[in-house]
């Protein structure tokens, strides 16, 4: 597959998750909840987690934001559901490393699976915070850090 075909496939997946985001609802029975805010773009979201015996049983997300933020939140929710807290934290670190790397630098594509669709975001510094907001919010929820986080 050429790099142009791959980029188009990635854009289609981001568009699909933006138009039909997964797990976008308040989560009854959540035992972790944090609000996230990106003042640069205006993205606001709430991440709800139900964690039992160190496993993320369910994820809910509510809020509004740009296409990158919504798609990132949707794909994050699918990718962390059913994982242990340690596995979700490892995925968070791999995602953050991919997004914040220097353009053209390598990243762990095998660890990220379909999250690789966001690899091109690193070329647009203004969009990095959009893509990482759901992840930082989920990370704060797992760590039990406060009720609200900001990208600033």
């Amino acid at each position: 597959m050429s790099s142009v075909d791959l980029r188009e496939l990635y854009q289609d997946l981001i568009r699909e998750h933006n138009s039909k985001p997964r797990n976008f609802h308040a989560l009854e029975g959540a035992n972790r909840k944090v609000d996230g805010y990106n003042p640069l773009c205006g993205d606001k979201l709430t991440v709800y987690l139900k964690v039992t015996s160190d496993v993320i049983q369910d994820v809910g997300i509510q809020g509004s934001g740009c296409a990158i933020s919504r798609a990132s939140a949707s794909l994050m929710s699918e990718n962390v559901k059913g994982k242990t807290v340690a596995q979700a934290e490892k995925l968070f670190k791999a995602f953050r490393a991919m997004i914040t790397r220097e353009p053209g630098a390598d990243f762990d594509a095998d660890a990220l699976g379909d999250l690789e669709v966001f690899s091109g975001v690193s070329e647009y510094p203004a969009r990095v915070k959009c893509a990482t907001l759901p992840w930082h919010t989920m990370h704060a929820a797992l760590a039990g850090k406060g009720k609200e986080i900001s990208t600033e």
Side-chain angles (χ1 to χ4, degrees):
M1 184 176 290
S2 74
S3 63
V4 173
D5 293 338
L6 195 57
R7 186 170 291 226
E8 288 177 10
L9 176 67
Y10 289 172
Q11 290 173 350
D12 288 346
L13 188 59
I14 289 172
R15 274 194 286 267
E16 166 66 19
H17 277 267
N18 174 50
S19 66
K20 296 176 186 169
R22 298 356 174 237
N23 301 304
F24 261 64
H25 55 80
L27 182 61
E28 277 192 40
N31 52 12
R32 317 272 175 104
K33 175 187 168 208
V34 172
D35 297 320
Y37 179 53
N38 177 2
L40 185 66
C41 184
D43 301 329
K44 287 184 174 181
L45 58 84
T46 301
V47 171
Y48 303 87
L49 300 175
K50 183 175 183 181
V51 180
T52 306
S53 300
D54 206 41
V55 175
I56 300 171
Q57 302 292 331
D58 205 355
V59 180
I61 298 169
Q62 284 188 308
S64 61
C66 67
I68 295 291
S69 177
R70 286 172 54 95
S72 179
S74 177
L75 279 159
M76 178 202 72
S77 71
E78 286 190 331
N79 277 275
V80 302
K81 194 184 293 188
K83 294 222 177 342
T84 66
V85 170
Q87 290 170 324
E89 290 288 354
K90 184 176 179 180
L91 200 54
F92 163 70
K93 289 176 183 173
F95 186 82
R96 186 178 57 190
M98 174 185 71
I99 293 291
T100 59
R101 77 189 193 290
E102 292 294 322
D106 290 336
F107 60 93
D108 190 354
D110 292 338
L112 291 164
D114 59 1
L115 295 169
E116 185 183 358
V117 298
F118 294 98
S119 63
V121 172
S122 67
E123 297 174 26
Y124 305 95
R127 292 300 193 206
V128 167
K129 291 179 180 178
C130 301
T132 58
L133 177 64
W135 291 86
H136 282 289
T137 309
M138 183 267 307
H139 173 68
L142 288 175
K145 294 182 179 174
K147 301 284 182 203
E148 184 175 313
I149 66 147
S150 171
T151 57
E152 299 302 316

